[in-house]
Amino acid sequence: MFLSHIYTFLLAFTHCVFFKVSCSSSEFNLDGDYLLGGFFPVHEIQHATVHFSPEAIECHRHTLSKSGYRMFQVMRFAVEEINNSTTLLPNVFLGYEIVDHCSDTKNFPSVLSFISRNGSIKPQEKLNSHQPKVIALTGPYGSTRTITIASLVTMDLIPMVNYGASSYALSNKLQYPSFIRTIPSNKDLIQMIIHIIQWFGWNWVAFLGGPDNYSEDGLQLFNSYIKETGICLAFQELLSQSSNYSLTLQMINRLNIHVIVVFTGSQYAKNIIKAAIANNIRDKVWIASETWSMNQQLPKEPGVEKIGTIIGITERILSLPGFNEFINKAKGTRESYTYDNIESEIQMKTCNQDCDNCSMLTAEDIINEDPTFSFAIYSAIYTIAHALHKVLRCDNNECRKDLTVKPYMLLEKMKKLDFPLNGRQVKYDVNGDPAVSYAVVLWHSEKKTSWIQVVGTYDTFPEIIFAINNSLMPWHNNTAVPFSNCSVECKEGFSREHVGYHDCCFLCKRCLQNRYVNSSRDPYVCFPCAESEWSEEGSTTCTARSVVYLEATDITSVAVITSATLLMSVFIAIFCLFACNYNTPVVRSAGGNMCFLMLACLIMSTTSVFFFFGQPTAVNCILRSLTFSFFFTICLSCLTVRSFQIVCIFKMAAKFPKLHSLWVKHSGQWLFVASFSVIHLFLCVMWVTVSAPKPFQDSFSFKDQTVLSCEKGLTVAFALVVFIGWFLGFLCVLFSYMGRDLPKNYNEAKSITFSIILYYVIWIVYITALLLIKSKYVQLFNAMTQLSSVCAILFSYFIPKSFIMLFQPEKNTAAYFQTSIQSYTQTISRN
């Protein structure tokens, strides 16, 4: 059996190649000065059978392809037009030999015939010596068929100007150096499909192909090019004749996919569309590749209008002037043949040049057939002719026929061609690919009629231009653009959150306050606003915060500054008053020299208020806190000494005379004040050194404001600084309580107690407000708290004494004070 198959193959091959067969009267052959080869799918194999041994094929035994026969006639028309031209290849007559190329793998005899010389092939022959049967060839139709034979043709640098193979692999010039095509590659076609998907905002699509290089190449490119587009390939499958089409379409339905790219040859596209009709698939968008987008039978298929909208991609349809007349003339000539002519022609046909049913086709059948590849074939023949024109150094009158023409010479000229043809410029890039000029077509399928309408265009020369006329898109059921997305697009201010494997599937999450989403940057992230900016919930941008701080020009600020100035003036006046009445009993009972230290410290404490206004600086922050804390603590230490001395004079002197004498002898009051002052100064220095108060931008208290204030710097040193002041206040209250029953004129206990209680109350109120209120006016409140603390001592301790000196001088005498002491002594002795 195996030997018989080999014998059959060799017999067919020998008959086709090694025997000279004259077919001059056939449509498949034309004698000429230079011979062109052509491969066209005049017949199509519907159900391929797998064989495990070589076998030649007889194409005429399979289904006639009307579109393939039209392609065949376009080559004949182009050659006749060139032969009749007086400007292109004058006095040169082109011939051709065309074969029916119906199989992916079983048409080798015709290929070997084209590349042979006088029936023999010498694989290692030099290019200058090799003269194959044809100087160039066009075809075949389809990527798989082309890839199968391309290496045989291109190894001898025979120009293979293809009209119907778009696989991007053929653009590899290292592997296919003499391959040139007149249709765009799959790379351009896939980019066009992606443009359509993006134009309508889809991102959830399916990709169906066939079991061939064309579909495999398209699927690989599609997966590669959608990576940065936001499109998700939700389902993909390359179908064969034995595939379960129903199961595939049901899976697409379950995945809720409404856009299906059908990137395959017309044979498998028919299977898919018919299966969709049979399975009652409704309201889908079908994107057809150029191989079946202009199919003339499918739009007439019963029920095709129910499956949805079919959008096709095809090369820009250009008319071929004179082609219809050529077909009418050719068919008329063929029909006038006598029976003997036909019988004679049939006997001369060989090498897949049989077409018994072609004579049954009318001129109208051919003219109305799919014109998708007509201009590609037409321009392929003209490309060969223009290259030959340059090799033969033709002028307007004649060409130099004495020159030897080798195939590789044409190839060199083809790479540099740039000529107009029927309103389009024909030129090729470094990969042998043409400029892209696509049309987007829409199928209209109705019960009584069907037609295909151009609704968009896509060009890459001289620049990329893509547009679709949306008004020409009557979507199925006259609805809006169909929705084919895994997830509904998030509203403004919402970020995405991944769900599942695909990027197109997500949940929407509202961005929080002070965050925003920038979809062009990253739709999956809510970016934080800068510290100087803010935003509401669900924002897409941030707004600059208004910067606020306590300005000296505010009315409240002016009032506090004025109050501080007046208070300092009062202290200076009291200082002078006390100095003038230095030797009076009131001044001595108030503390004598220590009064002046207290007044000086209160004046210095008041100056801290002036550092609260204006934009905070490091110096301001230190001085506003440190000045008040240090000097007011010295004042408190003086008050503590005063309250202790009152007890000491009247009670300690009597009960502990030795301790009293040591206190008096060593100036205990000054030693106490100095010790606490030094300790406090040391702690203040530590505070400033370790964690000094510094400017602070509060961006948390208000959503749209940045409040400039000072940060205290919470450390142990700061805590000790605060603690000393509060501890001295506690001692003041304690000693004042112990001396509550002393003579009235000598007893400052009540005034000291009142001032310290006010001090505590003021600061407790401030701390409470600090915790509850966030505003620039908290700083103003801080300044007022410091001012109020100073006023508490002023009005509780110094003002009463000043009043006596100014308005009750009779009480500021030694006799008056002596009377008070005697009265207190008598009371004590009676008790």
Side-chain angles (χ1 to χ4, degrees), residues 146-334:
T146 303
I147 291 174
T148 302
I149 67 172
S151 297
L152 289 173
V153 176
T154 60
M155 68 179 180
D156 292 327
L157 295 184
I158 301 173
M160 189 178 192
V161 188
N162 191 279
Y163 62 85
S166 58
S167 174
Y168 189 54
L170 291 164
S171 295
N172 185 342
K173 294 298 104 178
L174 292 176
Q175 192 170 359
Y176 307 104
S178 65
F179 179 85
I180 293 174
R181 57 179 146 212
T182 55
I183 62 166
S185 70
N186 280 348
K187 176 182 70 115
D188 302 303
L189 181 58
I190 290 297
Q191 288 176 341
M192 172 68 165
I193 291 173
I194 291 173
H195 276 299
I196 293 174
I197 293 171
Q198 290 179 316
W199 180 273
F200 294 110
W202 300 317
N203 65 19
W204 193 239
V205 300
F207 189 104
L208 300 180
D212 49 33
N213 295 91
Y214 172 74
S215 298
E216 290 174 3
D217 183 61
L219 178 58
Q220 182 181 355
L221 290 169
F222 190 77
N223 275 308
S224 175
Y225 289 145
I226 63 173
K227 287 180 180 177
E228 304 298 328
T229 63
I231 298 171
C232 291
L233 185 54
F235 182 85
Q236 57 182 341
E237 187 172 358
L238 299 179
L239 300 163
S240 64
Q241 289 288 354
S242 59
S243 296
N244 190 330
Y245 289 79
S246 298
L247 185 62
T248 297
L249 293 171
Q250 289 169 14
M251 179 65 72
I252 291 173
N253 250 351
R254 281 198 296 270
L255 291 173
N256 203 27
I257 302 169
H258 295 289
V259 175
I260 305 169
V261 178
V262 181
F263 198 92
T264 182
S266 59
Q267 180 179 345
Y268 291 98
K270 290 176 184 177
N271 294 341
I272 293 170
I273 297 302
K274 289 179 178 179
I277 297 171
N279 286 273
N280 199 29
I281 301 299
R282 298 294 185 99
D283 301 337
K284 304 293 184 185
V285 176
W286 306 81
I287 300 179
S289 61
E290 91 285 0
T291 53
W292 66 282
S293 61
M294 296 294 289
N295 189 284
Q296 301 300 304
Q297 282 76 41
L298 276 178
K300 302 172 184 177
E301 194 73 27
V304 71
E305 72 280 356
K306 298 178 182 179
I307 67 173
T309 302
I310 299 178
I311 301 173
I313 300 170
T314 183
E315 273 212 90
R316 195 78 61 82
I317 305 300
L318 295 177
S319 62
L320 301 180
F323 178 70
N324 293 354
E325 291 78 4
F326 170 82
I327 295 298
N328 285 318
K329 177 182 176 183
K331 296 306 293 183
T333 302
R334 297 291 295 173

Side-chain angles (χ1 to χ4, degrees), residues 560-572 598-613 623-624 627-629 631-632 783 786-791 794:
V560 173
I561 292 172
T562 303
S563 301
T565 305
L566 292 174
L567 187 61
M568 289 176 66
S569 302
V570 172
F571 277 124
I572 293 172
M598 292 170 63
L599 288 168
C601 288
L602 291 174
I603 292 172
M604 292 303 297
S605 297
T606 307
T607 60
S608 66
V609 173
F610 297 104
F611 298 110
F612 278 90
F613 307 101
L623 291 179
R624 70 166 63 170
T627 303
F628 175 80
S629 178
F631 288 106
F632 195 77
Q786 293 185 8
L787 208 59
S788 300
S789 300
V790 172
C791 289
L794 170 66

